[in-house]
Amino acid sequence: MFRTTSRAAAAAGLLLTLGLTTACSTGQESVKSDAAPAAPVSGKISITYLQKQGDQEYFVGEAAGAKAKAAELGIDLKVVNLGNDANKTVSEVQSAIAQKTNGIIIVVPDPAVGPQVVQTAKDAKVALLTSDDQICATGPDPSACNKDSLVARIGFSGQQMGAEVGKRAAEEFKKAGWSPADTRIISAWKQDVTVCGDRVKAAKDAFATGAGAQVQNIDVATDNTPTGAQDKIAATVTANAGVKHWVVWGCNDENVQGGVTAMENAGISADNVIGVGLGAYLACKDWSGSKASGMKAALFINGKDVGALAVQTMYDKLKNSKDFPKEAFAPTTMVDPTTWKSAGVSCS
């Protein structure tokens, strides 16, 4: 879902918080970010939703959910696709403020811009909420943040999602009857994205518990895109030519689909691959045809639910001065080739 971006922008970030929910380990006292704006907004509410990779299936759904909720609540909503551009993130925040938006919901392409985004919104007394990925008010790395400096977030629980993936992978592994000695796990993710790390760690822990066996894991750093994952995992497969069976998981469907494709191109049969996706928006495409796929299951995360919940949460803050929750989570469902349609997965 991301490409590697320059972290230079983070150096310009000012180290104050907009009143959300964490303070990085700087020793500074955090400012309550959800305290601004203090008074309810009178009249029609305007919200700007800034998304990384807005053309990705998940984020398209998220925007649709946000728009539907905004229409229901009578909100003026503007959705902006940031792509993977960290510099555009800051300029679009400034543009939204100049256009008198009351609140900003943001999915950042790079968490390094977090401090600058938070400070810019704080100076303008504009409410700020993140969806999906975390940002820190006082530093570029959310994983190094104290909880009091993490901006309030709407999304999914990384730990819960990862645990579901690892649990299902363990079930598939035991069903396949593979030997741990000739099996390897690939964990693929963009390693500077905190929520990705949470998901992968939880998957590892759940697999170890559920499989009842020790299987060697190989961490693969990717850019969270299918092609990026495919290239990196292809190199990993080549370097481990003696491995017969592969388990693949990662931060999102993109990583797993990239891995499954890399293995298919390397001549590894679908019977020797257990891919468990996270999202299901790409996994379902593998299941739409008659060809066997190494993608055995995927955790369905519905972007529409997150977009709608984010808009509702921002509305409650702006209209009724209701404090942001530190985090609010949408539901998830594990699906496979036999259940994805009945679960409501949208596959275009």
Side-chain angles (χ1 to χ4, degrees), residues 1 56 58 156-158 160-166 195-196 198-200 203 248-257 275-283 295 297-301 332 334:
M1 291 159 57
Q56 185 208 65
Y58 170 82
F156 297 98
S157 165
Q160 182 268 332
M161 289 193 298
E164 290 296 323
V165 168
V195 293
C196 289
D198 292 343
R199 297 171 190 178
V200 168
V248 187
W249 59 56
C251 182
N252 53 18
D253 258 22
E254 284 82 352
N255 281 289
V256 183
Q257 189 188 62
V276 182
L278 205 164
Y281 45 84
L282 296 182
M295 186 80 79
L299 190 67
F300 176 34
I301 57 175
T332 61
M334 186 63 70

Side-chain angles (χ1 to χ4, degrees), residues 77-157:
L77 177 71
K78 180 180 181 181
V79 178
V80 178
N81 180 10
L82 300 174
N84 290 300
D85 192 338
N87 292 325
K88 185 177 181 180
T89 305
V90 177
S91 64
E92 288 293 346
V93 169
Q94 293 169 338
S95 176
I97 290 169
Q99 293 171 28
K100 307 300 182 183
T101 194
N102 300 123
I104 294 172
I105 305 169
I106 190 167
V107 194
V108 294
D110 187 336
V113 300
Q116 191 171 2
V117 167
V118 170
Q119 184 64 43
T120 301
K122 179 180 183 293
D123 288 345
K125 295 183 172 58
V126 169
L128 178 67
L129 179 67
T130 65
S131 72
D132 304 290
D133 299 339
Q134 289 180 316
I135 61 174
C136 178
T138 56
D141 182 3
S143 68
C145 236
N146 290 331
K147 289 184 178 180
D148 288 341
S149 291
L150 289 171
V151 173
R153 181 177 77 91
I154 305 298
F156 297 98
S157 165

Side-chain angles (χ1 to χ4, degrees), residues 298-314:
L299 190 67
F300 176 34
I301 57 175
N302 193 340
K304 290 182 180 179
D305 292 340
V306 172
L309 182 57
V311 169
Q312 181 70 62
T313 302
M314 179 62 78

Side-chain angles (χ1 to χ4, degrees), residues 3-333:
R3 63 179 171 81
T4 303
T5 53
S6 170
R7 307 187 75 86
L14 300 177
L15 302 182
L16 289 174
T17 167
L18 165 65
L20 269 82
T21 57
T22 84
C24 293
S25 10
T26 62
Q28 293 180 328
E29 182 179 356
S30 65
V31 179
K32 283 288 184 180
S33 61
D34 60 4
V41 175
S42 59
K44 195 158 191 176
I45 290 173
S46 171
I47 296 174
T48 305
Y49 209 132
L50 306 176
Q51 296 177 304
K52 72 182 181 187
Q53 293 182 300
D55 57 352
Q56 185 208 65
E57 190 74 24
Y58 170 82
F59 291 113
V60 170
E62 184 176 76
K67 290 173 182 176
K69 179 58 68 172
E72 174 189 326
L73 297 173
I75 294 169
D76 282 334
L77 177 71
K78 180 180 181 181
V79 178
V80 178
N81 180 10
L82 300 174
N84 290 300
D85 192 338
N87 292 325
K88 185 177 181 180
T89 305
V90 177
S91 64
E92 288 293 346
V93 169
Q94 293 169 338
S95 176
I97 290 169
Q99 293 171 28
K100 307 300 182 183
T101 194
N102 300 123
I104 294 172
I105 305 169
I106 190 167
V107 194
V108 294
D110 187 336
V113 300
Q116 191 171 2
V117 167
V118 170
Q119 184 64 43
T120 301
K122 179 180 183 293
D123 288 345
K125 295 183 172 58
V126 169
L128 178 67
L129 179 67
T130 65
S131 72
D132 304 290
D133 299 339
Q134 289 180 316
I135 61 174
C136 178
T138 56
D141 182 3
S143 68
C145 236
N146 290 331
K147 289 184 178 180
D148 288 341
S149 291
L150 289 171
V151 173
R153 181 177 77 91
I154 305 298
F156 297 98
S157 165
Q159 289 86 351
Q160 182 268 332
M161 289 193 298
E164 290 296 323
V165 168
K167 178 183 175 183
R168 180 58 179 259
E171 292 171 359
E172 296 287 341
F173 171 78
K174 291 171 73 174
K175 184 169 66 176
W178 295 348
S179 167
D182 57 19
T183 303
R184 295 292 182 271
I185 298 168
I186 286 181
S187 300
W189 79 104
K190 189 172 188 289
Q191 296 182 356
D192 62 350
V193 179
T194 309
V195 293
C196 289
D198 292 343
R199 297 171 190 178
V200 168
K201 181 182 184 303
K204 292 177 181 178
D205 292 344
F207 182 89
T209 300
Q214 293 292 324
V215 179
Q216 183 178 331
N217 177 85
I218 303 172
D219 289 341
V220 178
T222 74
D223 61 359
N224 277 355
T225 68
T227 53
Q230 181 179 333
D231 291 345
K232 293 295 182 69
I233 292 173
T236 303
V237 170
T238 300
N240 293 271
V243 175
K244 294 181 180 179
H245 311 295
W246 292 93
V247 178
V248 187
W249 59 56
C251 182
N252 53 18
D253 258 22
E254 284 82 352
N255 281 289
V256 183
Q257 189 188 62
V260 168
T261 302
M263 291 171 188
E264 181 181 344
N265 292 344
I268 301 170
S269 72
D271 289 342
N272 290 314
V273 179
I274 294 172
V276 182
L278 205 164
Y281 45 84
L282 296 182
C284 64
K285 296 180 180 180
D286 287 2
W287 303 330
S288 297
S290 57
K291 185 178 179 181
S293 172
M295 186 80 79
K296 298 300 191 291
L299 190 67
F300 176 34
I301 57 175
N302 193 340
K304 290 182 180 179
D305 292 340
V306 172
L309 182 57
V311 169
Q312 181 70 62
T313 302
M314 179 62 78
Y315 175 85
D316 290 342
K317 171 65 178 174
L318 296 173
K319 194 70 175 177
N320 304 312
S321 297
K322 182 178 178 181
D323 288 345
F324 288 140
K326 291 185 177 182
E327 289 187 304
F329 301 133
T332 61
T333 307

